[in-house]
Amino acid sequence: IATSATSSQVIQRALQILESILVNWFADDDKARVLAGVMPGIISAIVKIISGAPSVAQSRGMQTVWNDVNASKQTSSRKPPTTDIACAALQLFSSVVVLTIGDVPLTACGVLAAQVSDLESLVNDINVNEADDSTLVGSPTLSASSTQTLQNRADPFPQLTATYLAYTRTQLMHSLHALLPTLTTHHALRVRLALVDALSRIAQSCVRSLDSDESAVQDILLTTLLELGSPYESSPDVSSRARMAICGWLQERQVQSRLRAILERELGAFPAAVQSHSERRVGSCVNVIMALTSLAREVNAGALRRDFALLLGPNGGVVRWSWPLLACLELARPVEMETEQANDGTTRAWDLARIE
């Protein structure tokens, strides 16, 4: 309904009802397993609604639906979504991601190992495992015919495994690449605020599940929040909320390492962005770097301040990124050389040094 309707009100209500069904309808034990089967189709529909692509095809399996997501990244001539539709789509997007591949559901189904925070939780975990083993020992064995019947019964939902998670991480990265250009530049303040809320919810709830060297999902989430949290953001409300979202999990070790890598990457990419004469690329680098410097002044950002000090110090590779930055700057003629007294060839030397 949401991808084929022409009325904005119908699309908005369809997205809201679907989000309510996903959150409240299924039992907690089965929710992640059921959502694993419908997540590709839901995200495909959201990408097509946001990007203005044609109506989505019916789901023909996970591979085909994720291919629909990739195809929807092509440029479309349709207008951006309305404010209400974009906000409803972002709420649905964050809900289906968190409920399917969040740290909590994946830990419950065994894809992620349970984290032990203290001795009491370790003892409780051991007791639960022993109780499960005793239940298995005392359970009656199934007959050969019953076992064959269960094996032949097709499970309509994919199994939540490490392979499913790895594949979903990659496809989620493509979906974010398709969504973010439209949403980060949306004219409505409500949409940009909803984007900050959705990205921060995903980043906070999927710290371990999205932490992978092969996938750049966490980098995309953090970079987008940093760009929205820049002091140069047009809305102080958006900038403040984005910085607060990142400050909320600055103590996470994975986030600290990601921020350090983002800082080094943006400093290294800034000279190339300047030389490309692309205002969008330069603005993106500046926004991210300025947001990181703003975050470094926070009380709980000691690790980030140490990263800045290391990067700007003699052992932080300052020569590696500072010389390209100086080389891309345009050397203008000093004011004092505009006088007629500078006729000894120095003016000519500055003309030759000027970068066109």
Side-chain angles (χ1 to χ4, degrees), residues 196 199-200 203 220-229 242 245-246 249:
V196 171
L199 296 183
S200 61
I220 295 172
L221 298 176
L222 288 173
T223 302
T224 305
L225 286 172
L226 287 169
E227 193 169 348
L228 292 171
I246 299 177
W249 70 93

Side-chain angles (χ1 to χ4, degrees), residues 159-219:
Q159 295 296 319
L160 275 172
T161 61
T163 303
Y164 174 89
L165 178 59
Y167 183 77
T168 301
R169 272 195 298 249
T170 302
Q171 300 306 322
L172 184 60
M173 177 183 66
H174 296 315
S175 302
L176 289 171
H177 280 310
L179 288 170
L180 292 178
T182 301
L183 296 173
T184 53
T185 58
H186 201 281
H187 65 277
L189 174 63
R190 278 180 54 206
V191 173
R192 300 202 303 279
L193 288 173
L195 176 62
V196 171
D197 292 340
L199 296 183
S200 61
R201 180 187 179 193
I202 294 173
Q204 287 180 322
S205 302
C206 306
V207 174
R208 297 172 59 209
S209 60
L210 296 181
D211 184 30
S212 171
D213 295 334
E214 293 80 15
S215 173
V217 176
Q218 271 196 348
D219 283 352

Side-chain angles (χ1 to χ4, degrees), residues 3-25:
T3 53
S4 60
T6 57
S7 170
S8 298
Q9 232 176 0
V10 173
I11 298 174
Q12 177 193 353
R13 291 297 297 161
L15 293 172
Q16 291 173 339
I17 292 172
L18 180 56
E19 198 267 341
S20 178
I21 291 174
L22 298 183
V23 173
N24 302 312
W25 186 265

